[in-house]
Amino acid sequence: MSKNKKTRAKRMGVKSVFAHGEKGRLAITSFGKGNRAELVVDTDSRGKSLCLPHRVPGSVTIDRIDEEIGLSRSTLEALVNNPAERDSDDYLGLKGELEEMFFGEKFPRDTVRIQIIHNILDILKILGLYVGDIVYCINNLQDVPIPDDQIGKSLCNEKKVEDILRCMEPFLGYFGEAFRARPQMKVKKPAAAGKQMRDERFSHNKNAIYILSTIRHNTAHFKKSFFFFQKDLNKKFTGASGSWKIVEENYKNLIDRINSKFVSNSSINLRILFELLSAESLAEQTAIAEEYYCFSILKKGKNLGIGMKKLREYIIELCCPEIKNKVYDSYRSKLYTILDYLLYRTICDSDELVLMVEELRETADEDAKERLYRNNAVVFWEKIEQYVHPFLEKFKDGFPVFSSDKYPASLIDKVALKADGVPFVQLLAFLCDFWEGKEINEILSAYIHKFENIQAFIDTLENLGERLEFKACPIFNEPRIAERVAAELRILASIGKMKPDLSSVKRPLYKAAIAFLGVNESHECLTDEWLAENLLLDGEAPREKKESTNPFRNFIVNNVIKSRRFMYLVRYTKPQTVHALMGNREIVRYVLTRLPEKQVDTYYENIEEPNENDALEDKIRALTAALTNFSFENLRRQKERIVENSLLGASEKILEIEQLKALTGLYLTVAYVAVKNLIKTNARYYIAFSAFERDYELFLQKDKSTIEDLRILLPFLDKKGKNTWNECLALTRYFLKKEEENDYHPEPGKPFDKEACRKHLDSIKRHFSKKWREIFQTAINDALQISDTGYLPIVVRNHAAHLNVLSAQALKYVSEFRAKRPGMQSYFELYHFLLQKLMCENPSLNILPEHQKYLNAGVPCLDLIKIAYVSLGYNLPRFKNLTIEALFDEDSESGKERIERRKSKR
C-alpha cells in the first residue's frame, strides 16, 4: 500500500483557511478552476453549520472553536487549525513589520496578508538566486582565480565590458539570442558597413551585460529587490544606455519565431487532423488550427487538473496496444502528439473531466490514483476511438507522402501570441536564454504557482469586501495583474525552452571538451597545431576534408560539445576541474548510488559485458572504475582502434562505438549530477544569507535601540574600517540576550520549582534551550579566535554569494576529499570540505588546529560548520537545517539513518 501524501482537508477540496480583517473573521476557500479559490465560509460565529457550493458538497461545522474546524463530506472528515483562535505572529515576530512595509499598517488578527507577502518574497528570493547563478556563469568564463563579480564592476566601464565579451566569444551560442555572436562574413562588405555591424553588435552585447549587472545589483540586497515590482520596470533600464530595447527585441523575436514557424512546422499534423475531423471549409480548418495552436504552443492541456500523458499511457495499454507495433516505430512520437490533441479537444470542457479532477483530489494514495486513471482511460477512449482507428490504419503501411501545399499563416491570427507581455515576463524571457530546460521549468513553475496564489488571495479578500492597497509593490494594485503574469508565464514555460541550435563549434569549445575529458593544461592536444592536424579544423587540410570526414571530431561534437550536460558544465566549472572531480572514486561512487537503479542497469548493459548474477554494488564498482580511468587519450585510442580494425564487421563496430558513446554520456551525467548538487547545496546558504539581510533590516525597524546596543558591544572593524561582527552577530545575540532575560529564576531562598518553571517557559516564546545557548556561546568564542575582526561570516557569505566552491581554486582540493577516510556520506560534506579548504587559504582567518585535523584527513569539520554560520543562529530551526547533515539532506547516509530511527520509535 502506498503512503498517503494528502491531508484530508485537501482531499475535501479545502484550499486555504485564514483569518482576515480587524476582528480576525474566519474564512475558508475551496479549489476552483485551475488555481482559483472559491469562498465557501466567512463567519465569526461559533458552532454553526454552513452549506457549501456544489464543488465541495457537504457542510462545514466548527466543532471546537478553540482548537480545530471539522469539515464533513460524505464519509470524509478533515481537521484543520483555526487561525482565528491562535497567535498570528510568526516565529521571529516580524509579521507586523512586513505588513507595515507592504500595506502601510499592521494587522494583528489577520493571517492572509502575510501569506501574500511571503509569496512575493519567494518570487524575489528565487529571482535573486538564479540571477546570481547567471552572473557566476559569465564570471566563470573570465580568466580569474576565483570568479569575482566582473559583471558588477563593468557597469560603467566599456573596457571591462570588452574584456568580458572577448572571453565569452566562443560560448555565446550557449546563451541563446541574449548575445550576438560575431557575424560570419561570406561576402566582403565595405569598411563602413563592417564597422557599423561591429558597433551594433557591441552595443547590443554591452546592453545585455548592463541588464545582467543591474538585475544582480537589485536582487542581491533586500531593500533594492522591490525594484522589480514597481509600476515602470522597463523605464528603470532606459536612460543613457537604452538597454531595455534589447529585452523587448528579444521577446518580440521569440514570439515572431514561434508564430511564423508554427503553421509551416505543423502543416503535416494539421493536414492529418483536417482529414480525420472532416474539416473541409476554411472556417472549419481555421477553428482546428486555432485549437491546435492553443494545445501545442499555449499548452492549454497542461492546466486541466489531470496528467494527460499518464491518461494517454493507460489508453494505449488498455484500449489501443497496437500503437506499440513496430511498424509505427519511426514516427510514433507524431502519433502520440495527434492522440494527445484528440484527447485534449474531447475532454477539456467535459463533465467527465470535472468529475475526474474532483475524484483525483479525494484519492488518498498512489494506488487509488492509478485505479482512477485506468478507469477513466476506458471512458475517454470511447470518445476518441472513432478517430484513432482510421488514423492508425492510414499509417500502418508507412508514413504517407503529403503534398507540398502549405497553409496560410493567417489560420492562427486570432489566437497567435502578441509581443506585448508584462515587463516582468519580458525580462524573464530574456533570462531564459541563460537557463537550461530544467531550470526554466523549475523557475517558471514556481512563479506560476506564486502569482496564482497571490491573485487567489486578492480575489478572496475582494469577495469579502476588503480592498488591498499595496505600498511596497504597487504593480499589484493593477486589476488582475498577478493573473495576467501567471498566464503569460505559463506560455513562456512552453516557448522559453525553444532555443536555436548551436550554430557553429569554435576552436575553444574543442579545447574545453578535450580538457573536460581529461588532459592537463600543457597537453599537446590543446595546441592549435594539434587541433588543426588531428581534427582538421583548418590549416593545410584539403577542403573536402574540412567539413565532415573526421569521425573522431564528429564524435566529440555530437557526444560532448552539443550535449546539454557539457553546456551546463562548461558554464559552471573550469574544464580541468571536471576531470579532477571525476578522478575522485568516492564522489563517482556516491553519485552512482544516487542514480535510479534502472538507469545504472542501462548504463552497465551498454558499457560492460553484463552478467545476470551481478549485484547492484558490483555494477556500481565496475562503472566507478571505468569512469575514474576515463580520459581523452583512452577515448581517442579506442575510437581509432575501432575504426581501423579490419577484423571487426560493420555491426560490431557500431556496437563498440555505441559503448563509447554510453561511457562518454555517463561521464558527463555523473559530473553534471555532482556539480548540480553542489549548486543546490550552495543555494540553501545563498538564500539563508539573503534572509539574514532581510530580517536584519526588519529588526532595525522593530527594535532599533536594542540592536544598536548590541552592535556597540562588539565594535570590531575590518581592514577597510567597515563594521563586521557587530552587524553579523547582532540578531543572534539579540535572541540570546532575550532568552537569558526570560530564564526562570526562583525567588531567593526558595528551592527550584519544576512546575513553576514549566509554566513560565510555556508562557514565553522560546527560541533556544539552555543546551543551544551554550552551543552558541562556544561557537561565538571560537569564531572570535578564528577572526577577531568578525571577517569569518563575511567570508562565508561571499563564498555562498559567488558560488566559489565550484571555482578552480576550490576544486583543486577535490582529490584530497575522503582520501584517508573512504565512504562519502553526502553532498553536504563535499560542499563544506571545499568551503573550509578555501577558508584555510584566507590569510585573515586563523583556522584552529582542532578543526584543521579533520581537513587533513579529507573530511570537513562539523564544529567549524556551526561556527561559520553562527550569524544565522538567530533562527534556530533554519540554523539546524543548515548545519546538521541529517536535517540538511534526508537522502544522505545520516539522513536515512535518522529516518529509520524515527520509524523504529513509532
Side-chain angles (χ1 to χ4, degrees):
M1 186 71 174
S2 59
K3 185 179 178 182
N4 177 11
K5 296 180 180 179
K6 288 184 183 176
T7 63
R8 287 189 177 184
K10 186 172 182 181
R11 291 170 59 198
M12 284 290 300
V14 175
K15 180 174 175 63
S16 59
V17 181
F18 57 84
H20 70 96
E22 293 180 2
K23 296 182 179 179
R25 283 173 61 88
L26 174 68
I28 301 176
T29 64
S30 68
F31 288 94
K33 190 171 183 180
N35 201 31
R36 292 190 175 183
E38 292 185 1
L39 181 65
V40 294
V41 172
D42 175 30
T43 182
D44 58 3
S45 60
R46 299 294 182 257
K48 182 179 179 181
S49 295
L50 300 169
C51 292
L52 302 182
H54 68 280
R55 288 188 62 76
V56 189
S59 64
V60 173
T61 304
I62 304 176
D63 295 324
R64 285 172 282 180
I65 61 174
D66 292 328
E67 298 177 23
E68 52 207 4
I69 305 164
L71 286 81
S72 299
R73 175 174 180 173
S74 61
T75 57
L76 269 183
E77 186 176 89
L79 299 176
V80 293
N81 289 326
N82 183 351
E85 298 298 322
R86 58 190 173 92
D87 182 11
S88 65
D89 210 349
D90 57 19
Y91 173 74
L92 296 176
L94 294 174
K95 173 177 173 287
E97 279 61 39
L98 283 167
E99 289 171 336
E100 198 164 32
M101 175 181 289
F102 276 82
F103 299 111
E105 59 180 304
K106 297 180 181 180
F107 299 86
R109 298 294 303 280
D110 185 289
T111 63
V112 65
R113 284 169 174 79
I114 193 65
Q115 293 188 58
I116 295 173
I117 291 168
H118 279 295
N119 274 284
I120 295 173
L121 292 177
D122 285 346
I123 291 168
L124 297 171
K125 173 182 70 180
I126 294 168
L127 183 63
L129 174 64
Y130 281 97
V131 168
D133 284 354
I134 291 173
V135 171
Y136 167 83
C137 289
I138 293 177
N139 287 331
N140 181 58
L141 298 176
Q142 314 308 309
D143 190 20
V144 290
I146 277 191
D148 197 2
D149 189 3
Q150 300 296 305
I151 285 185
K153 295 176 180 177
S154 72
L155 201 55
C156 302
N157 188 329
E158 286 208 354
K159 177 63 171 65
K160 180 62 71 174
V161 172
E162 287 177 355
D163 291 343
I164 291 173
L165 292 172
R166 176 180 49 76
C167 293
M168 287 178 61
E169 181 67 42
F171 309 97
L172 291 182
Y174 285 171
F175 298 106
E177 295 190 337
F179 295 101
R180 289 183 183 172
R182 183 178 288 116
Q184 302 296 318
M185 296 284 194
K186 293 186 178 179
V187 178
K188 192 169 183 179
K189 295 183 180 292
K195 182 179 185 306
Q196 182 180 351
M197 288 181 65
R198 289 192 297 274
D199 289 347
E200 288 176 356
R201 174 178 176 270
F202 177 74
S203 176
H204 177 97
N205 292 347
K206 180 182 72 173
N207 282 332
I209 293 291
Y210 175 85
I211 284 179
L212 290 173
S213 180
T214 305
I215 298 172
R216 172 56 186 263
H217 186 65
N218 286 282
T219 56
H221 304 291
F222 174 65
K223 281 187 174 180
K224 298 178 182 295
S225 59
F226 298 113
F227 159 85
F228 294 96
F229 290 137
Q230 305 309 309
K231 279 192 173 183
D232 300 314
L233 171 65
N234 53 342
K235 291 182 181 177
K236 304 290 183 181
F237 287 101
T238 53
S241 69
S243 56
W244 184 259
K245 65 184 179 184
I246 74 166
V247 174
E248 292 179 324
E249 180 184 293
N250 177 279
Y251 193 69
K252 183 179 184 303
N253 289 343
L254 174 63
I255 298 299
D256 289 348
R257 189 167 73 243
I258 297 302
N259 288 339
S260 64
K261 292 183 178 180
F262 172 74
V263 174
S264 59
N265 289 348
S266 305
S267 59
I268 292 178
N269 285 358
L270 289 174
R271 195 175 299 279
I272 293 169
L273 290 172
F274 294 162
E275 185 176 323
L276 285 176
L277 301 172
S278 303
E280 297 179 359
S281 70
L282 180 61
E284 290 172 325
Q285 291 179 352
T286 300
I288 290 172
E290 289 175 348
E291 190 177 54
Y292 186 68
Y293 181 90
C294 292
F295 163 78
S296 178
I297 301 300
L298 306 187
K299 303 296 182 186
K300 292 291 182 70
K302 293 285 189 182
N303 196 33
L304 296 178
I306 65 171
M308 291 286 284
K309 182 180 177 182
K310 185 187 287 286
L311 185 62
R312 180 239 294 162
E313 288 173 348
Y314 275 120
I315 285 176
I316 291 172
E317 177 189 334
L318 300 173
C319 310
C320 188
E322 61 265 34
I323 204 171
K324 294 283 191 180
N325 195 304
K326 283 188 175 294
V327 299
Y328 302 117
D329 278 357
S330 60
Y331 42 88
R332 184 172 287 106
S333 62
K334 186 171 289 293
L335 304 188
Y336 285 169
T337 300
I338 299 293
L339 185 58
D340 286 348
Y341 167 73
L342 293 172
L343 258 178
Y344 162 75
R345 78 186 307 265
T346 304
I347 71 176
C348 62
D349 292 318
S350 67
D351 293 336
E352 290 88 350
L353 176 65
V354 174
L355 181 60
M356 183 178 176
V357 171
E358 289 191 359
E359 289 176 335
L360 277 172
R361 188 171 292 128
E362 289 185 12
T363 53
D365 54 52
E366 289 300 315
D367 294 337
K369 188 176 180 181
E370 297 301 317
R371 286 195 299 272
L372 190 58
Y373 270 100
R374 293 178 72 89
N375 294 338
N376 279 279
V378 177
V379 174
F380 291 126
W381 167 251
E382 293 174 357
K383 293 178 177 291
I384 63 171
E385 182 179 5
Q386 59 178 313
Y387 305 115
V388 177
H389 280 309
F391 174 51
L392 294 178
E393 185 67 24
K394 185 179 182 66
F395 283 80
K396 71 177 183 180
D397 295 325
F399 197 77
V401 178
F402 292 94
S403 67
S404 58
D405 296 341
K406 294 191 176 179
Y407 297 106
S410 59
L411 279 177
I412 59 164
D413 278 352
K414 288 183 181 178
V415 294
L417 293 171
K418 304 294 187 294
D420 60 349
V422 174
F424 184 70
V425 176
Q426 293 186 33
L427 181 63
L428 288 176
F430 172 75
L431 296 177
C432 280
D433 279 333
F434 298 92
W435 294 322
E436 293 301 312
K438 285 187 177 179
E439 293 172 302
I440 292 171
N441 279 337
E442 289 171 3
I443 298 163
L444 298 188
S445 295
Y447 275 1
I448 291 165
H449 181 69
K450 298 295 179 186
F451 279 102
E452 287 181 339
N453 277 347
I454 291 168
Q455 189 65 61
F457 282 127
I458 292 173
D459 289 346
T460 303
L461 285 176
E462 286 184 353
N463 289 338
L464 292 166
E466 297 187 36
R467 168 73 179 162
L468 288 180
E469 189 67 31
F470 285 84
K471 177 184 172 185
C473 298
I475 192 175
F476 289 104
N477 292 325
E478 296 180 20
R480 311 206 67 76
I481 186 65
E483 181 180 58
R484 181 184 170 190
V485 171
E488 291 183 6
L489 287 177
R490 198 174 292 282
I491 295 167
L492 181 60
S494 166
I495 65 177
K497 295 174 292 217
M498 300 179 184
K499 301 179 183 179
D501 292 332
L502 192 63
S503 57
S504 62
V505 179
K506 298 178 176 62
R507 181 175 305 186
L509 285 177
Y510 285 100
K511 291 183 179 181
I514 292 169
F516 265 91
L517 299 177
V519 297
N520 59 45
E521 293 182 14
S522 59
H523 199 281
E524 66 166 357
C525 294
L526 298 180
T527 62
D528 291 341
E529 294 75 17
W530 188 93
L531 290 168
E533 181 180 348
N534 292 273
L535 297 186
L536 305 179
L537 296 179
D538 48 24
E540 300 303 318
R543 182 168 182 173
E544 64 273 13
K545 285 188 172 184
K546 286 185 180 180
E547 296 300 324
S548 59
T549 55
N550 188 318
F552 185 63
R553 181 191 62 192
N554 292 344
F555 183 93
I556 294 294
V557 171
N558 295 326
N559 296 287
V560 182
I561 295 175
K562 291 191 175 181
S563 162
R564 292 286 179 189
R565 304 292 197 227
F566 176 75
M567 289 171 65
Y568 188 89
L569 290 167
V570 83
R571 285 159 52 197
Y572 280 100
T573 57
K574 298 292 185 184
Q576 281 81 7
T577 62
V578 170
H579 192 64
L581 188 74
M582 293 298 293
N584 187 300
R585 186 175 297 272
E586 288 301 309
I587 296 173
V588 172
R589 180 200 60 80
Y590 183 81
V591 173
L592 289 171
T593 62
R594 263 54 192 172
L595 294 181
E597 186 173 342
K598 190 174 180 181
Q599 189 176 358
V600 173
D601 287 341
T602 302
Y603 275 117
Y604 183 71
E605 289 168 6
N606 290 334
I607 294 170
E608 301 289 334
E609 296 197 8
N611 185 321
E612 61 181 14
N613 296 322
D614 289 343
L616 179 62
E617 293 79 4
D618 297 325
K619 297 174 184 178
I620 289 174
R621 192 179 301 113
L623 291 176
T624 300
L627 291 174
T628 50
N629 292 323
F630 186 88
S631 72
F632 174 76
E633 283 292 350
N634 289 342
L635 181 68
R636 183 164 67 103
R637 280 197 294 268
Q638 283 183 268
K639 185 71 169 59
E640 288 175 351
R641 180 186 59 78
I642 294 168
V643 172
E644 295 170 3
N645 192 341
S646 59
L647 299 178
L648 289 177
S651 59
E652 292 173 308
K653 288 185 178 183
I654 290 173
L655 181 62
E656 291 201 21
I657 288 173
E658 288 302 315
Q659 287 179 329
L660 273 189
K661 287 182 180 179
L663 181 60
T664 306
L666 181 59
Y667 180 91
L668 292 174
T669 295
V670 170
Y672 165 83
V673 170
V675 168
K676 186 159 189 174
N677 275 282
L678 285 174
I679 293 168
K680 287 171 68 176
T681 301
N682 188 81
R684 298 270 293 272
Y685 296 99
Y686 179 99
I687 290 170
F689 282 111
S690 297
F692 169 84
E693 184 173 339
R694 178 194 70 204
D695 294 341
Y696 185 83
E697 294 294 338
L698 292 170
F699 269 108
L700 282 181
Q701 293 179 38
K702 179 179 181 178
D703 199 356
K704 185 170 184 178
S705 59
T706 304
I707 297 294
E708 291 289 350
D709 291 343
L710 290 169
R711 290 168 64 179
I712 292 170
L713 293 175
L714 284 171
F716 295 115
L717 305 175
D718 66 10
K719 292 178 181 178
K720 296 178 182 178
K722 184 180 177 182
N723 293 329
T724 50
W725 270 124
N726 43 17
E727 275 92 1
C728 295
L729 282 182
L731 294 188
T732 299
R733 296 182 68 251
Y734 172 87
F735 281 105
L736 287 172
K737 182 171 179 280
K738 224 173 153 186
E739 292 291 296
E740 290 167 3
E741 290 171 351
N742 285 328
D743 266 351
Y744 172 70
H745 298 289
E747 293 182 30
K750 287 190 176 182
F752 178 80
D753 187 333
K754 189 175 181 180
E755 183 61 22
C757 177
R758 187 189 65 77
K759 287 182 179 179
H760 171 77
L761 294 177
D762 288 345
S763 68
I764 63 172
K765 185 181 283 187
R766 297 181 65 201
H767 291 265
F768 305 126
S769 64
K770 187 176 180 181
K771 170 189 169 184
W772 274 98
R773 286 218 308 272
E774 291 173 355
I775 289 173
F776 276 113
Q777 292 296 353
T778 302
I780 289 172
N781 292 335
D782 287 343
L784 288 169
Q785 289 187 60
I786 293 172
S787 173
D788 62 356
T789 64
Y791 191 53
L792 173 61
I794 304 296
V795 169
V796 177
R797 182 262 175 202
N798 288 343
H799 283 317
H802 298 292
L803 196 50
N804 287 337
V805 292
L806 285 182
S807 67
Q809 191 169 333
L811 287 177
K812 70 184 180 185
Y813 295 111
V814 77
S815 61
E816 299 175 23
F817 176 67
R818 285 284 177 182
K820 297 180 181 178
R821 295 187 188 179
M824 179 175 170
Q825 303 289 306
S826 66
Y827 296 110
F828 172 90
E829 66 164 349
L830 172 60
Y831 175 88
H832 283 101
F833 175 79
L834 298 174
L835 177 65
Q836 290 176 7
K837 292 297 284 187
L838 280 179
M839 290 164 60
C840 289
E841 283 191 2
N842 194 310
S844 299
L845 301 181
N846 177 33
I847 303 301
L848 304 178
E850 58 265 33
H851 304 143
Q852 184 71 57
K853 68 180 181 181
Y854 290 93
L855 296 172
N856 293 339
V859 294
C861 174
L862 299 183
D863 286 339
L864 185 54
I865 294 174
K866 288 186 174 63
I867 295 166
Y869 300 117
V870 71
S871 61
L872 304 177
Y874 68 97
N875 189 325
L876 185 59
R878 182 191 294 148
F879 180 84
K880 287 181 178 180
N881 287 331
L882 291 174
T883 58
I884 299 174
E885 182 181 69
L887 296 177
F888 185 92
D889 180 10
E890 288 192 346
D891 191 48
S892 66
E893 296 302 319
S894 59
K896 288 179 177 178
E897 289 175 11
R898 176 175 169 272
I899 291 171
E900 289 302 318
R901 285 198 304 271
R902 289 177 63 186
K903 286 181 180 177
S904 65
K905 292 178 181 178
R906 291 175 184 170

